[in-house]
């Protein structure tokens, strides 16, 4: 009981109640109905009153993904692609991290059409990390990351001494000789090509 009664928006409330409920995933609607135990005078149906409240139980994190850029590329102009989806989506932010720090390059407060998005980006030399963070209205969060390495620096080749047959300091036509070079690159060397005077080409894996 409320003592004294509480008046709100022209209604006088004499009592209050509370009761625990176990919600199911998704939309839940709870209804309450009150009925007087006696009919109004002079006659008629019992006096009743009812109300309801709805709430959504969301325990699933948003779905988000990133793709569209190769792990290693020599082209600084790229388009980052991604998808995001959630039944109670709130917002998403995409950041880019490189040698100059982290900056936000894309943000939305509503799901994009077809749940897909694209962002034109410029890569800087070295590692570029893109991170998408999606948040729903239940404050559940999920992230996706993509790392792209911009490599615009050619490998370095350092010639070494040629190896000849044992005891020899030079070779004649038809003799075996070993051509040696040191090849280095910040992302590794995949293969080295050697071109002979006659134009033939040999490939040596690193």
């Amino acid at each position: 009981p409320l003592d004294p009664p509480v008046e709100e928006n022209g209604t006088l409330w004499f009592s209050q109640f509370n009761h625990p409920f176990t919600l199911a995933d998704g939309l839940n609607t709870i209804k309450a109905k009150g009925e007087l135990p006696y009919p109004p005078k002079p006659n008629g149906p019992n006096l009743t009153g009812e109300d309801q409240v709805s709430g959504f139980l969301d325990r699933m994190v948003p779905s988000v993904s990133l793709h569209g850029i190769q792990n290693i590329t020599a082209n600084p102009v790229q388009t980052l692609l991604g998808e995001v989806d959630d039944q109670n989506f709130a917002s998403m932010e995409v950041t880019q991290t490189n040698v100059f720090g982290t900056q936000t390059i894309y943000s939305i407060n509503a799901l994009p059409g077809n749940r897909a998005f694209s962002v034109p980006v410029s890569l800087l030399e070295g590692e570029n990390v893109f991170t998408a963070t999606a948040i729903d209205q239940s404050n559940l969060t999920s992230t996706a990351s993509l790392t792209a390495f911009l490599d615009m620096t050619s490998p370095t080749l350092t010639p070494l001494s040629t190896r000849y047959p044992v005891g020899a300091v030079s070779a004649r036509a038809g003799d075996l000789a070993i051509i040696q070079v040191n090849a280095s690159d910040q992302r590794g060397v995949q293969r080295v090509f050697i071109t002979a005077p006659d134009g033939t080409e040999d490939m040596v894996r690193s």
Side-chain angles (χ1 to χ4, degrees):
L2 293 174
D3 189 15
V6 176
E7 183 177 356
E8 182 180 345
N9 298 326
T11 300
L12 194 60
W13 300 99
F14 291 92
S15 63
Q16 63 180 5
F17 69 94
N18 58 70
H19 185 76
F21 291 92
T22 300
L23 302 181
D25 289 325
L27 182 64
N28 294 261
T29 299
I30 299 173
K31 297 182 179 180
K33 180 179 180 180
E35 182 176 334
L36 292 178
Y38 51 83
K41 295 179 180 180
N43 52 44
N46 291 356
L47 292 177
T48 63
E50 61 181 50
D51 198 5
Q52 68 181 44
V53 62
S54 296
F56 200 101
L57 178 61
D58 181 7
R59 296 185 291 183
M60 297 183 62
V61 300
S63 171
V64 60
S65 63
L66 294 175
H67 56 93
I69 305 177
Q70 294 181 343
N71 291 338
I72 303 176
T73 179
N75 184 3
V77 180
Q78 299 285 338
T79 299
L80 180 67
L81 305 177
E83 291 81 31
V84 61
D85 195 13
D86 188 81
Q87 55 189 348
N88 291 300
F89 179 81
S91 65
M92 184 189 69
E93 181 180 89
V94 180
T95 62
Q96 179 179 0
T97 301
N98 48 39
V99 293
F100 292 115
T102 300
Q103 61 177 344
T104 300
I105 59 173
Y106 181 72
S107 62
I108 54 175
N109 294 312
L111 284 174
N114 297 324
R115 308 300 191 259
F117 61 92
S118 62
V119 187
V121 298
S122 296
L123 305 182
L124 293 184
E125 183 83 15
E127 188 176 73
N128 296 260
V129 179
F130 298 93
T131 303
T133 303
I135 305 174
D136 66 14
Q137 296 179 37
S138 296
N139 207 33
L140 298 175
T141 302
S142 62
T143 61
S145 295
L146 182 150
T147 300
F149 197 97
L150 178 63
D151 184 4
M152 301 178 68
T153 303
S154 300
T156 299
L157 290 175
T158 304
L160 302 176
S161 299
T162 303
R163 296 177 60 183
Y164 300 104
V166 177
V169 294
S170 62
R172 297 171 298 180
D175 285 347
L176 176 66
I178 300 176
I179 308 298
Q180 300 182 107
V181 295
N182 274 343
S184 62
D185 185 82
Q186 60 180 338
R187 298 301 294 179
V189 177
Q190 187 177 26
R191 54 179 64 90
V192 176
F193 291 90
I194 298 177
T195 304
D198 62 1
T200 59
E201 191 176 74
D202 237 346
M203 179 190 75
V204 180
R205 290 188 178 275
S206 61

